[in-house]
Amino acid sequence: MVESTNIMHCDLDAFFASVEQLDNPSLRGKPVVVGGSIHSRGVVSTCSYEARKFGIRSAMPVAQAYRLCPRAVFLPVNMQRYLEISKQVFTILSRYSPIMEVISIDEAFLDISGCFRLFGSPEKIGCLIKEQVYSELGLTISVGISYNKFLAKLASDMDKPDGLCIITESQALKILRPLPVSKIWGVGEKTEQRLNKLGIKTIGDIQDLPPGWLEDKIGSAGRLFWELAHGIDKRAVEPEHERKSIGREETFPEDINDIVYLEKLIVQFAAELCRKLRQEGLLAGSVTIKLRDSNFKTITRSKTITPCNSDIIVTRIASDLLHHSYKNKQPLRLFGLSLGHLSPVTSLEQGSLFESQSNADYKAIDQLMDEIRDRFGPGAINRASLLPDKDIK
Ligand code: TTP
Ligand code: MG
């Protein structure tokens, strides 16, 4: 049987910490923790594999990390530098396939279906990428290869750091079987607990269920989990320019119905998404919010807009959608905001003569905030509505 393994997931190892070790050789081989200061209530962004031996992990309070390993080197986040390296890594990856989907600052999917004749087998392509990232940038990257995105991502994590792992179709079910359900995409802490209560602990437990059972219990997500548990994932690798929407969502540790918090999330998400659009020279033609309640019932509400990438306009529209659609204030487990109908900014739109004064003002504010963030990092400036209430005088 000829098995296709045409999807690759590449993810740098201990990214922020590895860049710090690269720039300062005296830190190599040492526990390095990157994140907020020990004295603030900051959290760990990431840490070197040497620090992980002490139990330190991403998102842990820095103070706790300090207790676990006081002799670790604690460093602040230098986002500008990581973005610079990240760009160079993606340039290397893009040499191997034009179909690349960047997922975060240190990971991307590649569809390598059309590249075998040029570069050789999937494994060969994985090795070439690893060698080039290491020889050109001095960083190790883990590569996972499989026949869909879910399994490729799982594979890149299986052999970290500096890994190369391939999951073929004939191995998939067996590899998935013993893993905890939390390894399934979309299963966070809350869902894991919910599944555990139904007696489902491993992916194998889901494999053994009749197809419709989980869907009956938890709704449409159940169908998706069942498919993923069987190694079925139909999502294509979507390169940036073909992407039709961008979005941000948050699953809450506890269900919430606090509209003030949701409004703050809108401000934060709108700022992040619009900044991304501006960086990529794109405009959004629609705004969509997503609300998922504790029973997994999901509603989405959209509005078509005159294409824009302004934080303020998107925030306003998303808030209006929220106020219209969230009257019964049912507890929510997830909230999301996405911007769709993306189109490139044309030179005409960039400086239109017919632009209203308020639009021009919004643009000037966005531009100024972008410049400040470019120079001083993403957290350097925020809208006042994002400050904790006690800080607003
Ligand atoms: P990850 O790829 O999740 O982590 P990592 O690269 O540090 O380690 P691994 O070897 O397991 O891949 O995230 C990439 C970067 O994103 C990470 O270096 C720091 C940042 N990050 C945060 O700031 N907060 C977080 O909670 C996580 C998970 C990552
Ligand atoms: Mg990583």
Side-chain angles (χ1 to χ4, degrees), residues 166-342:
I166 302 178
I167 300 180
T168 64
E169 221 164 328
S170 54
Q171 298 165 329
L173 288 183
K174 218 164 144 194
I175 290 176
L176 287 168
R177 180 159 273 281
L179 301 178
V181 282
S182 56
K183 289 280 179 187
I184 293 180
W185 242 351
V187 176
E189 226 170 285
K190 206 91 202 280
T191 311
E192 185 180 12
Q193 284 167 11
R194 195 146 179 232
L195 292 171
N196 288 173
K197 274 195 198 132
L198 293 167
I200 300 164
K201 293 214 155 65
T202 64
I203 296 183
D205 293 335
I206 298 183
Q207 288 174 351
D208 296 337
L209 295 173
W213 192 87
L214 200 53
E215 193 172 359
D216 289 344
K217 291 280 177 207
I218 65 169
S220 57
R223 174 89 216 163
L224 180 70
F225 298 160
W226 188 89
E227 287 184 354
L228 293 173
H230 286 80
I232 301 165
D233 177 10
K234 300 188 193 97
R235 288 168 300 179
V237 177
E238 286 188 54
E240 206 86 347
H241 59 274
E242 284 173 18
R243 210 178 40 203
K244 290 172 197 69
S245 69
I246 59 170
R248 269 287 265 119
E249 53 186 47
E250 182 167 314
T251 303
F252 309 119
E254 308 258 322
D255 293 347
I256 66 152
N257 63 354
D258 177 353
I259 195 139
V260 177
Y261 182 74
L262 294 173
E263 281 183 328
K264 281 187 181 166
L265 270 190
I266 288 178
V267 176
Q268 181 195 331
F269 289 174
E272 281 177 36
L273 296 173
C274 289
R275 179 164 151 81
K276 201 148 191 241
L277 292 185
R278 292 193 292 274
Q279 282 171 337
E280 294 174 19
L282 293 171
L283 299 170
S286 66
V287 175
T288 303
I289 61 163
K290 176 156 95 177
L291 310 171
R292 177 171 296 152
D293 70 18
S294 40
N295 297 317
F296 273 90
K297 186 167 166 264
T298 306
I299 62 161
T300 56
R301 292 288 177 270
S302 289
K303 189 168 164 53
T304 305
I305 57 170
T306 309
C308 84
N309 55 21
S310 150
D311 297 13
I312 293 179
I313 295 174
V314 168
T315 300
R316 240 183 235 168
I317 290 163
S319 299
D320 283 352
L321 287 171
L322 178 70
H323 282 277
H324 279 106
S325 54
Y326 190 51
K327 294 209 169 92
N328 58 354
K329 306 235 166 54
Q330 72 277 26
L332 298 180
R333 68 182 312 272
L334 175 143
F335 177 80
L337 172 66
S338 64
L339 305 179
H341 297 93
L342 305 186

Side-chain angles (χ1 to χ4, degrees), residues 126-169:
C127 290
L128 286 170
I129 286 176
K130 288 171 66 64
E131 277 163 25
Q132 264 184 20
V133 170
Y134 191 71
S135 64
E136 290 183 28
L137 304 174
L139 294 174
T140 60
I141 189 163
S142 292
V143 172
I145 302 168
S146 193
Y147 58 95
N148 63 38
K149 285 165 101 173
F150 168 53
L151 293 168
K153 187 165 161 73
L154 199 72
S156 75
D157 200 40
M158 281 173 59
D159 197 19
K160 259 182 176 296
D162 202 13
L164 175 69
C165 178
I166 302 178
I167 300 180
T168 64
E169 221 164 328

Side-chain angles (χ1 to χ4, degrees), residues 36-52:
S37 104
I38 307 173
H39 308 291
S40 73
R41 280 179 298 150
V43 293
V44 173
S45 292
T46 193
C47 62
S48 64
Y49 277 77
E50 294 84 356
R52 293 183 196 195

